Amino acid sequence: MPPPPPPQLTDYLRILMGEVPWSFLLECALRLVAMYLLLLTGLRLMGKRQAGQISRTELAGLVSMAVSIGIPLLSPDRGLLAPVAIVATVVVLHRFVTRWAARRPAVEQLLQGNVTTVVKDGVLQLPVMERVVLSRERLFAQLRGDSLEHLGQVRRLYMEANGTFSLVEEDEPRPGLSIVPHWDEDFCNVQPVVAGKLACQACGQVVDAAPAPTQNCPHCGAHEWKPAVEAIK
């Protein structure tokens, strides 16, 4: 038997359809409807949390279900029972792990991780941020999204186990490091500077500016300082 001819760039029918008949397009649509309903059913059985921020175990379940429906959706030689079995297994396993974790805090901590404090009394916890792989700009963007202007307004910022943030604001904000982008000069210029106070540019630790500090930051060891600011009233 002679070998098949090599693919040609001008073989538009092959490019569009591959090696399946036109009727397979209708089958793909039917398969998509079946997989869509199967995925919705799986999400419904996994609980209401799927509609919000998801945890690690929930993300693992979603990825597993998504992978299971990919190949049967487009491959004519794959049936639909395999993804049904996979989704059923994912749902049962997820429910088992969730109930197990609810009864044993140590298991939940192992699977989901801990809540971490990334800002404490207006000071960045740099070792914690490094451990959870959180950049300064990502953290500042979160605070700006909460309508804050400087770190002195933050009593605590927690990073939850699922990656979301919980903010506790100071009742009486102290001077702090500005979180306004440095290129926004118009905004930076109208922020009130607090006389006699400097903020560490790395972590936000505030110290007295008279005399100007020549030593490194007592909190993080950095040596660059910026004027501490207050919020615009």
Side-chain angles (χ1 to χ4, degrees):
M1 178 181 297
Q8 300 295 324
L9 184 60
T10 56
D11 189 358
Y12 302 114
L13 184 61
R14 178 191 57 82
I15 294 174
L16 290 175
M17 292 298 302
E19 298 180 356
V20 297
W22 287 97
S23 59
F24 184 64
L25 295 180
L26 177 59
E27 184 179 338
C28 281
L30 296 176
R31 285 171 177 258
L32 176 59
V33 171
M35 293 296 98
Y36 182 75
L37 295 176
L38 179 62
L39 187 57
L40 286 181
T41 302
L43 293 176
R44 176 67 179 85
L45 293 176
M46 288 180 68
K48 295 182 179 180
R49 280 275 304 157
Q50 300 301 318
Q53 294 288 339
I54 62 177
S55 65
R56 295 175 182 176
T57 54
E58 292 163 344
L59 179 60
L62 285 176
V63 172
S64 300
M65 288 193 295
V67 170
S68 71
I69 69 175
I71 295 178
L73 186 62
L74 297 174
S75 181
D77 60 336
R78 302 297 177 91
L80 299 181
L81 288 181
V84 171
I86 293 174
V87 170
T89 302
V90 169
V91 171
V92 172
L93 182 61
H94 173 74
R95 285 180 170 268
F96 170 75
V97 170
T98 301
R99 292 180 180 178
W100 188 29
R103 297 174 182 175
R104 297 181 179 272
V107 174
E108 184 175 16
Q109 180 177 336
L110 177 64
L111 295 175
Q112 306 295 350
N114 294 324
V115 178
T116 54
T117 304
V118 292
V119 180
K120 181 179 180 181
D121 297 329
V123 180
L124 302 179
Q125 306 301 299
L126 297 179
V128 176
M129 292 173 58
E130 182 177 355
R131 188 172 69 248
V132 300
V133 196
L134 176 64
S135 68
R136 283 165 46 93
E137 284 308 312
R138 173 69 182 87
L139 187 149
F140 287 174
Q142 175 66 34
L143 295 178
R144 289 192 294 265
D146 291 320
S147 301
L148 301 186
E149 301 174 21
H150 63 87
L151 290 179
Q153 297 173 285
V154 183
R155 184 177 182 183
R156 292 289 189 276
L157 182 66
Y158 301 107
M159 189 173 186
E160 305 293 344
N162 64 356
T164 60
F165 294 91
S166 299
L167 171 66
V168 180
E169 295 187 45
E170 284 283 5
D171 295 331
E172 298 181 1
R174 66 193 79 189
L177 177 69
S178 173
I179 60 175
V180 176
H182 65 86
W183 47 263
D184 192 352
E185 297 181 358
D186 293 338
F187 199 161
C188 292
N189 291 336
V190 298
Q191 281 190 301
V193 174
V194 180
K197 297 290 185 180
L198 290 177
C200 173
Q201 191 168 346
C203 71
Q205 177 71 51
V206 176
V207 298
D208 293 331
T214 57
Q215 74 277 13
N216 294 340
C217 172
H219 182 260
C220 70
H223 57 274
E224 297 183 6
W225 303 88
K226 294 180 64 176
V229 300
E230 291 180 327
I232 301 173
K233 297 181 180 179

